Amino acid sequence: MTATGTATGTGTGTATGIRLHAPAPGWSIDADVVVVGSGVAGLTAALRCTAAGLRTVVVTKARLDDGSTRWAQGGIAAALGEGDSPQQHLDDTLVAGAGLCDESAVRALVTEGPDAVRRLIATGAHFDTSPEGDLQLTREGGHHRRRIVHAGGDASGAEVSRALVEAVRAAVVRTIENALVLDLLTDAEGRAAGVSLHVMGEGRHDGVGAVRAPAVVLATGGMGQVFSATTNPSVSTGDGVALALRAGADISDLEFVQFHPTVLFLGSGAGGQQPLVSEAVRGEGAYLVDATGTRFMLGQHELAELAPRDIVAKAITRQMQLHGTEHVYLDARHFGAEMWGTRFPTILAACRSHGIDPVTEPIPVFPAAHHASGGIRTDLRGRTTVPGLYACGEVACTGVHGANRLASNSLLEGLVFAERIAEDIAATARERTDPVIPGGTTLPLLAPESRLAIQRITTRGAGVIRSAASLAEAAAHLEAIRADADAEAPDDRKPAVPGVEAWEATNLLCVARALVAAAQRREETRGCHWREDHPDREDAGWRRHLVVRMQPDRSLAVHTTDTAEFPPTSPPLLQEQRP
């Protein structure tokens, strides 16, 4: 079946008038730029904006070093090795993206990536080197060459985070920690004018307030907590995507959620954040075996265990179905104790803390939600369909990842596109305008306990394997949760009160509805979207993008693009020349 409901016009967003139920801001501060998020994308954007002389404020949900970046194990992919080139990196990225990458975005990534990594090193990041002082490079799934720089063996994200946090503090960038962003503020012309936020705990600012700025950069990370099991930290509740939907921005490719193939299996019913067993372990020679001890990736792909993640995750799921098990095994006993201790000390410690010794036994692993390839649609400068609103990192859909992210491209994407955003803001800086008093609809809040129900529904209906039946059931259950929140509370139940847990649950419902709506529409299997009732990739009808927008009545409109190319994020007369 071919796609229907083709989008027309420029695809520019329009304000929905929808906002979270929250008290009015009781305080405000002014800035030129407000960056929401403190991972590699957010902190890089903040540093570059500050260097350009812009008054920059960083808002982060937990501590400055508590984002998803610090959990990244593998490293950063860039063509830095002898014999490698940006063209080879581009080729591998396009193959992994299964026909939906924006080639111009990928070309920007791979050509600007090596220098972006060098600038990160100059900022203070220390990557593993050989005795001769050369960068050590490893290989991960989908890469035909060793091009992954890493730190501390398998603690690359922690080192990147450390270096950027130290640089931000040295630059005296103003930061607001432990603050949950609520909604986008807009001026009378519909342009971004800042954000409202809730600061938790006691400090200089407490409760609901606002940062007023003419440029807003969303770098809020992922939405893995919409599933029962994920590698994402507990703060990854899709706040940025939910905010953008309420603001009328276009969301694209949200159906493409990457499930990391090798997440440590902690037992039946384990939920929340699960330990990741980096792809670099397979890159160094570990292999996957089924319940009988047989390698099953041989013959399934030319790269065997190093095939792109969607292929490996699907193969593992098939083996689990075939043998009626909840996991398979990753065997790296042949590494020996010394290699485990020096190359993968973090993973070794995590496994041993859960009673598994990878030196002497195979590691039980299974696929779990890991990375959103889609998100808030942007152009090559990080601009969204809402004027003045930018997005970068996992919350954004730059077109780099297509239908499936190539391993270790995410940190590089954060670096490259954060720098592009800062350059654009500095070149188009404008005066701050006053936000208009919000009208429209206040979104009813969910009770905090709804979070677990949403996670179970999304996991069961829109997990690794999907079908029309599973997605329809998920959509119906999610709609029932929404309808229940809309209804007046009965006498024996108090309505949810504004607070972090209620806001997070409400954001998760918003994101889950959009994800399921997109997955229902795409009736094919492509990249990390696996429809068992439509098992084939169908380029003729489906080599195009899905765009989700929230309507003023809170319904979701799902459209398809005419081709595999993204439409512009702003009307042609307002667009600057794209590089």
Side-chain angles (χ1 to χ4, degrees):
M1 180 177 177
T2 58
T4 58
T6 302
T8 59
T10 64
T12 55
T14 56
T16 64
I18 301 169
R19 66 188 187 281
L20 288 173
H21 177 49
W27 54 268
S28 67
I29 59 177
D30 294 339
D32 297 319
V33 186
V34 56
V35 178
V36 185
S38 61
V40 62
L43 295 185
T44 299
L47 284 170
R48 299 296 179 264
C49 286
T50 299
L54 298 168
R55 292 178 303 160
T56 304
V57 173
V58 174
V59 174
T60 186
K61 193 172 180 180
R63 298 188 310 273
L64 205 57
D65 60 353
D66 241 358
S68 294
T69 292
R70 75 183 181 98
W71 298 99
Q73 295 174 345
I76 305 176
L80 294 162
E82 184 178 352
D84 200 1
S85 69
Q87 182 62 46
Q88 294 176 68
H89 190 182
L90 181 142
D91 291 341
D92 285 345
T93 301
L94 294 181
V95 169
L100 283 185
C101 294
D102 180 341
E103 186 168 341
S104 59
V106 178
R107 194 168 298 280
L109 178 85
V110 300
T111 56
E112 298 173 21
D115 282 344
V117 172
R118 294 184 185 103
R119 283 189 290 273
L120 179 61
I121 293 171
T123 300
H126 301 293
F127 293 103
D128 296 336
T129 58
S130 67
E132 295 73 32
D134 298 323
L135 286 171
Q136 289 185 349
L137 303 175
T138 192
R139 221 179 130 201
E140 294 184 358
H143 293 274
H144 282 79
R145 285 193 176 274
R146 287 181 172 265
R147 64 168 65 99
I148 318 298
V149 297
H150 49 84
D154 58 357
S156 304
E159 172 58 18
V160 170
S161 179
R162 180 205 62 78
L164 290 173
V165 168
E166 286 189 6
V168 163
R169 287 175 174 155
V172 198
V173 179
R174 188 169 189 174
T175 61
I176 304 176
E177 297 181 293
N178 300 306
L180 172 65
V181 67
L182 299 176
D183 281 303
L184 183 72
L185 303 176
T186 54
D187 63 17
E189 296 181 355
R191 295 186 62 93
V195 293
S196 59
L197 64 154
H198 172 78
V199 181
M200 298 163 267
E202 297 180 0
R204 183 173 178 182
H205 297 299
D206 196 6
V208 175
V211 179
R212 302 185 300 183
V216 175
V217 181
L218 293 180
T220 52
M223 56 183 197
Q225 289 291 327
V226 79
F227 294 95
S228 296
T230 178
T231 62
N232 291 187
S234 60
V235 295
S236 297
T237 50
D239 306 320
V241 169
L243 176 151
L245 278 166
R246 292 192 296 271
D250 283 359
I251 309 298
S252 190
D253 297 350
L254 208 62
E255 68 273 28
F256 297 118
V257 176
Q258 185 176 83
F259 287 77
H260 197 288
T262 52
V263 175
L264 184 62
F265 180 74
L266 300 181
S268 300
Q273 185 179 12
Q274 311 285 297
L276 174 68
V277 181
S278 171
E279 197 146 17
V281 178
R282 282 175 281 138
E284 296 293 347
Y287 48 84
L288 289 161
V289 298
D290 62 19
T292 69
T294 303
R295 285 184 72 179
F296 56 84
M297 285 306 300
L298 295 175
Q300 297 213 25
H301 190 275
E302 61 166 336
L303 296 176
E305 277 87 359
L306 286 177
R309 288 177 177 175
D310 62 312
I311 293 172
V312 180
K314 291 171 186 174
I316 289 174
T317 302
R318 289 191 189 99
Q319 293 299 316
M320 290 161 54
Q321 291 175 325
L322 178 65
H323 295 282
T325 59
E326 294 182 282
H327 61 82
V328 297
Y329 293 95
L330 184 66
D331 195 343
R333 289 174 290 180
H334 53 286
F335 285 6
E338 182 178 355
M339 181 175 174
W340 266 111
T342 57
R343 181 65 180 86
F344 301 109
T346 307
I347 298 171
L348 178 64
C351 288
R352 285 177 170 171
S353 72
H354 291 285
I356 300 159
D357 189 350
V359 176
T360 60
E361 59 187 314
I363 306 167
V365 294
F366 76 116
H370 181 56
H371 189 274
S373 294
I376 307 167
R377 186 166 69 81
T378 73
D379 65 7
L380 294 183
R381 294 292 178 183
R383 295 173 291 200
T384 74
T385 53
V386 176
L389 178 65
Y390 296 79
C392 60
E394 189 173 352
V395 73
C397 181
T398 62
V400 160
H401 304 307
N404 179 56
R405 176 179 70 100
L406 181 66
S408 287
N409 266 356
S410 53
L411 293 182
L412 188 69
E413 180 194 32
L415 285 173
V416 168
F417 284 89
E419 292 184 341
R420 285 176 153 252
I421 285 173
E423 181 182 341
D424 190 74
I425 293 173
T428 60
R430 60 186 184 84
E431 295 297 320
R432 184 183 62 78
T433 54
D434 291 328
V436 297
I437 298 174
T441 304
T442 298
L443 201 61
L445 298 180
L446 299 185
E449 54 267 27
S450 300
R451 178 173 180 150
L452 290 176
I454 294 166
Q455 290 171 332
R456 286 194 295 267
I457 291 165
T458 311
T459 299
R460 186 169 57 246
V464 177
I465 304 176
R466 303 163 177 177
S467 68
S470 75
L471 291 165
E473 182 179 3
H477 285 310
L478 294 172
E479 180 58 31
I481 292 175
R482 184 175 82 114
D484 189 50
D486 286 349
E488 292 186 9
D491 294 338
D492 61 346
R493 190 186 68 195
K494 294 182 180 180
V497 297
V500 172
E501 292 182 342
W503 287 321
E504 284 185 333
T506 305
N507 283 338
L508 283 172
L509 178 62
C510 183
V511 171
R513 289 179 59 225
L515 188 162
V516 169
Q520 281 184 294
R521 177 63 66 87
R522 185 173 291 279
E523 295 180 329
E524 66 157 354
T525 290
R526 181 185 298 271
C528 48
H529 172 67
W530 184 5
R531 286 284 297 262
E532 61 179 347
D533 52 340
H534 295 280
D536 299 321
R537 170 173 158 175
E538 298 182 12
D539 280 354
W542 286 105
R543 189 168 176 256
R544 57 193 69 191
H545 302 275
L546 293 178
V547 178
V548 180
R549 300 178 196 149
M550 182 172 282
Q551 304 300 301
D553 64 357
R554 289 186 288 147
S555 64
L556 297 172
V558 184
H559 305 282
T560 63
T561 56
D562 293 319
T563 68
E565 302 296 323
F566 278 129
T569 55
S570 58
L573 291 177
L574 297 179
Q575 285 210 69
E576 298 176 354
Q577 183 69 32
R578 281 171 61 118

